[in-house]
Amino acid sequence: MAPHAYFQAVAGTCYDYYLAIQLYTIAQYLTPAIIINYLSCGIISMYNKKIAAMFNEIADMIEIEDDTRIFEVRAYRKAAMTIDTLQEDVEEILDKGGTKGLMELPGIGEGLAKKIEEFIKTGRMRKYDDMKKKFPMDLDKLTLIQGLGAKKAFRLYNELGVKTIDDLKKAIEAHKVRRLEGFGEKSEAELGKGIGLYQAGISRMLLGTALPEAETIIRKIRGSGLADRVELAGSSRRMKETVGDLDILVTSSKPESIMDFVTGLSEVESVTLKGPTKTTVRLKIGLSCDIRVVERKSFGAGMQYFIGNKDHNVKVRQIAIRKGYKLNEYGLFGKNGKIIAAEDEREIYDKLGMQYPEPEMRENRGEIELSLEHKLPTLIQLGDIKGDLHVHTNNSDGANTLEEMVAQAEALGYSYIGITDHSKSEYVARGMDEARFERYSDQIDRFKDKYEGRVKVLKSAETDILKDGSLDFSNKSLDSMDYVLGSIHTNLNMGREEMTKRIIRCMEGGYLDIWAHPTDRLINARQPIQVDLDRVFEAAKDNGVVMEVDAFPDRLDLNDENITRARKHDLKFSIDTDAHRGDHMLFMRYGIGTAKRGWLTKNEVINTMRYEELMKYFK
Ligand code: DGT
Ligand code: CA
Ligand code: CA
Ligand code: ZN
């Protein structure tokens, strides 16, 4: 099949009309495998997450035992990262290619491949089980708590018998933790806060995990031939960074058969509630999913209702009432009960005198008012992106070579890619010192000279913004970069005033072009740095510093609200994936979703520019 015909076939099953259109526009550059990847972004079995967690725990345990075995620790962590974010099922790779197939994955050698095989075949991993005898605490969960590393977790176990998060909570409540050497009252309170953050987080799943699962389910329902239309609604349709549950809307003349089909899916763990119009299932990935069947003639009204959010809906309903209408999930009705609009969502907004708001905007943050005035901004779309300006290679902590990352950019139809490996302060991530930077720089220059593909390669580095606001490379090195991407990785706990000054000083230094993952939060795991963003945004404006929207699923930083705030200062943005492997570049869609939630338009985003324009911009 020609790529185009193939694409059309796949786009036909694509849940998102806009994504389909965007994909269509770049389809000529895409291979079928990449399209499938884009649409599915991982139909991932339970094994991937489980094995990744076990490898991480092994790394933790080695670290506790002997912190000189840094290479071993690094190897396990890298393997965990590979498997955790893998867009394929490890079980399938093993089925198809055996341990050899596994060994083609970055960072997976023979020993690790055998361990993966052992676990998939027997449900056990001896190395893990053996080590676990010495360290029987819930390391994978405990280390997710902010401020708690593996070694501290071990001390809490050793000295207080803490094995689980619940145990830790009790120990904190009994003020036992503060009495331990090196802990104190302040760190006890911090741990308490960390637990709160963790527990608030576990009930909401990352969009990056939930959305691919939703897409798999939708594809299966479509493939069943039982449904007429199947669409995603709820928070995941609005591209909210975390979701409470999935909401899928179906029209069908056979509602009972649809519900039987859904409850029988391999993704389903248990059935919470089953009826012909609404069924709720618990999915194995640890998320609930609501499936609603509506009549075809009410489909648009159903979409309008179930996309939400609730506050948006309440206001739209008030507008209907003011016009003498009634709006519910079945339709928009006139006084006499006559249907005014129901099947088509756009028509409902239209009949209310409103401009159609894209789902990402529907949060009652002013979009209703603008929509009534027909003044909604035209939001940026995935197809507007011409390159990715934050990408790692195996020169630091990335898994792929420079060539491989450039090939991926080319496959995505990009015009350029910016290579941004880490600087020396990030020694855990194998950051570069000056000498290594020289070699890296030469390597990129040589590559640029001989490379004849369509993608332009830009030279940069993710340069640490140090404690005093200086950058982690000499001015000479910084001068040799096409642009400077900078971020904070250390001293994250600084006080607000000191942190604000640190960043402003860096911006005033005149070298920083893009401030990467500005607030450094990790969703459900680490709170943002304390900083006066308005003052920093002002300094960014004065010094021409671009704000990043980091698209990595657990970052999404700046987030929607901070984007809105930065826009008030008239700043520019760069939407990047922070890819540590080729297929991470597919995370771009989460960055776009976040950008749309912050109302960003194409003109505000620098990596929508053509290469020549962008180079001029950086000068
Ligand atoms: P979530 O699941 O917490 O991430 O957020 P949503 O927005 O997906 O919320 P969910 O699943 O409870 O409900 C899906 C949509 O249904 C919601 O976005 C709007 C609509 N909805 C739910 N409850 C109400 C309600 O009481 N009134 C109105 N007007 N709409 C509602
Ligand atoms: Ca929901
Ligand atoms: Ca729901
Ligand atoms: Zn990075």
Side-chain angles (χ1 to χ4, degrees), residues 117-398:
E117 183 186 34
E118 181 194 354
F119 185 70
I120 290 175
K121 292 208 168 138
T122 68
R124 310 225 66 92
M125 195 188 293
R126 259 168 305 148
K127 165 107 178 169
Y128 175 85
D129 294 346
D130 286 349
M131 292 194 83
K132 209 63 205 166
K133 285 181 199 140
K134 255 199 273 176
F135 307 107
M137 61 284 195
D138 258 352
L139 269 174
D140 63 330
K141 298 206 177 68
L142 286 165
T143 51
L144 285 178
I145 292 169
Q146 184 169 9
L148 194 58
K151 282 191 191 156
K152 274 194 177 171
F154 180 61
R155 286 195 47 213
L156 290 168
Y157 164 69
N158 222 3
E159 294 170 46
L160 299 174
V162 168
K163 279 192 186 176
T164 63
I165 289 185
D166 258 1
D167 294 345
L168 178 58
K169 218 169 158 179
K170 283 183 199 132
I172 290 171
E173 277 158 13
H175 295 314
K176 286 184 182 160
V177 175
R178 64 175 67 173
R179 280 183 244 136
L180 296 188
E181 203 190 307
F183 278 86
E185 220 167 297
K186 193 170 161 214
S187 76
E188 185 181 77
E190 289 292 320
L191 285 178
K193 263 199 254 165
I195 292 177
L197 192 69
Y198 170 81
Q199 291 188 326
I202 48 175
S203 58
R204 297 191 64 84
M205 185 172 278
L206 288 187
L207 179 68
T209 312
L211 186 58
E213 179 84 352
E215 286 166 339
T216 302
I217 293 171
I218 287 172
R219 208 171 23 252
K220 287 189 176 180
I221 301 176
R222 284 189 182 147
S224 74
L226 296 165
D228 198 17
R229 303 194 61 171
V230 191
E231 291 289 337
L232 182 64
S235 49
S236 43
R237 183 63 181 248
R238 303 195 310 276
M239 297 295 275
K240 198 168 160 160
E241 63 191 31
T242 60
V243 306
D245 73 350
L246 295 175
D247 301 276
I248 295 172
L249 196 67
V250 180
T251 66
S252 167
S253 52
K254 307 186 192 88
E256 270 100 3
S257 314
I258 290 273
M259 296 314 194
D260 287 342
F261 180 80
V262 167
T263 53
L265 286 171
S266 61
E267 285 75 12
V268 170
E269 184 178 81
S270 61
V271 178
T272 316
L273 178 142
K274 189 174 175 186
T277 56
K278 181 178 173 182
T279 288
T280 301
V281 292
R282 187 83 196 153
L283 301 171
K284 288 177 187 159
I285 60 166
L287 191 68
S288 269
C289 179
D290 287 340
I291 318 277
R292 289 190 185 78
V293 178
V294 299
E295 283 186 68
R296 192 189 177 114
K297 63 180 199 305
S298 295
F299 183 71
M303 285 297 281
Q304 200 287 320
Y305 184 90
F306 291 115
I307 288 178
N309 76 359
K310 196 172 153 187
D311 294 344
H312 175 93
N313 286 354
V314 168
K315 272 214 174 152
V316 175
R317 197 172 289 199
Q318 283 165 357
I319 291 166
I321 292 169
R322 250 187 277 143
K323 284 193 170 319
Y325 299 153
K326 190 179 119 189
L327 175 66
N328 58 28
E329 59 266 51
Y330 305 108
L332 179 65
F333 302 94
K335 279 199 191 71
N336 43 14
K338 200 180 94 212
I339 292 188
I340 292 172
E343 189 169 345
D344 180 35
E345 200 193 4
R346 284 173 188 268
E347 202 182 333
I348 293 172
Y349 281 106
D350 198 47
K351 290 279 157 54
L352 290 170
M354 298 174 76
Q355 190 184 350
Y356 177 81
E358 289 197 52
E360 291 87 343
M361 296 189 90
R362 300 186 197 171
E363 297 284 343
N364 188 28
R365 292 179 186 156
E367 78 281 6
I368 306 247
E369 292 72 10
L370 286 187
S371 134
L372 282 167
E373 294 172 29
H374 286 255
K375 282 187 183 155
L376 286 176
T378 304
L379 302 181
I380 183 164
Q381 305 290 336
L382 188 57
D384 293 331
I385 295 294
K386 293 206 171 60
D388 196 331
L389 296 175
H390 185 167
V391 161
H392 298 270
T393 74
N394 60 0
N395 250 315
S396 63
D397 59 346

Side-chain angles (χ1 to χ4, degrees), residues 101-117:
L102 292 170
M103 284 161 69
E104 276 167 29
L105 296 172
I108 310 284
E110 196 177 353
L112 291 173
K114 288 233 167 86
K115 289 190 178 68
I116 296 171
E117 183 186 34

Side-chain angles (χ1 to χ4, degrees), residues 390-392 397 420-422 462 485 487 489 516-517 548 550 555 577-580:
H390 185 167
V391 161
H392 298 270
D397 59 346
T420 53
D421 276 313
H422 286 286
E462 181 168 9
L485 182 118
S487 61
H489 293 107
H517 49 73
E548 182 176 66
D550 190 307
R555 287 202 184 265
T577 63
D578 205 345
H580 284 68

Side-chain angles (χ1 to χ4, degrees), residues 60 469 490:
D60 285 338
T490 51

Side-chain angles (χ1 to χ4, degrees), residues 400-565:
N400 289 104
T401 61
L402 173 62
E403 288 79 356
E404 287 162 345
M405 296 308 272
V406 174
Q408 176 78 346
E410 175 140 31
L412 285 171
Y414 286 159
S415 309
Y416 46 82
I417 178 174
I419 306 296
T420 53
D421 276 313
H422 286 286
S423 65
K424 60 183 171 294
S425 297
E426 272 297 275
Y427 55 87
V428 194
R430 293 204 325 116
M432 300 175 283
D433 59 14
E434 294 294 335
R436 266 184 61 218
F437 175 78
E438 290 297 317
R439 271 178 279 150
Y440 158 88
S441 180
D442 288 346
Q443 187 202 348
I444 294 179
D445 289 340
R446 275 198 311 276
F447 183 81
K448 281 188 188 183
D449 287 344
K450 71 165 206 284
Y451 181 66
E452 286 170 356
R454 266 182 296 107
V455 180
K456 301 278 191 216
V457 179
L458 276 68
K459 188 189 343 176
S460 183
E462 181 168 9
T463 311
D464 262 51
I465 298 172
L466 302 176
K467 202 174 168 183
D468 62 358
S470 64
L471 286 163
D472 200 17
F473 280 118
S474 68
N475 289 353
K476 179 169 163 265
S477 297
L478 296 171
D479 275 327
S480 75
M481 298 179 195
D482 290 313
Y483 64 97
V484 176
L485 182 118
S487 61
I488 293 180
H489 293 107
T490 51
N491 295 99
L492 296 171
N493 291 330
M494 258 183 178
R496 185 179 157 97
E497 186 57 28
E498 213 186 337
M499 184 64 90
T500 304
K501 286 194 175 132
R502 170 183 183 181
I503 297 159
I504 291 177
R505 211 171 300 135
C506 181
M507 289 178 171
E508 287 175 344
Y511 276 100
L512 186 65
D513 291 301
I514 300 176
W515 187 24
H517 49 73
T519 76
D520 270 299
R521 62 100 179 241
L522 293 175
I523 301 173
N524 292 346
R526 188 168 72 204
Q527 279 178 311
I529 54 169
Q530 297 290 308
V531 61
D532 184 342
L533 277 179
D534 283 311
R535 265 166 69 203
V536 173
F537 288 158
E538 221 28 64
K541 179 70 196 160
D542 292 342
N543 295 285
V545 180
V546 172
M547 294 303 110
E548 182 176 66
V549 177
D550 190 307
F552 213 85
D554 67 351
R555 287 202 184 265
L556 299 178
D557 183 9
L558 296 175
N559 67 7
D560 47 5
E561 283 171 9
N562 286 329
I563 292 170
T564 305
R565 206 152 147 196

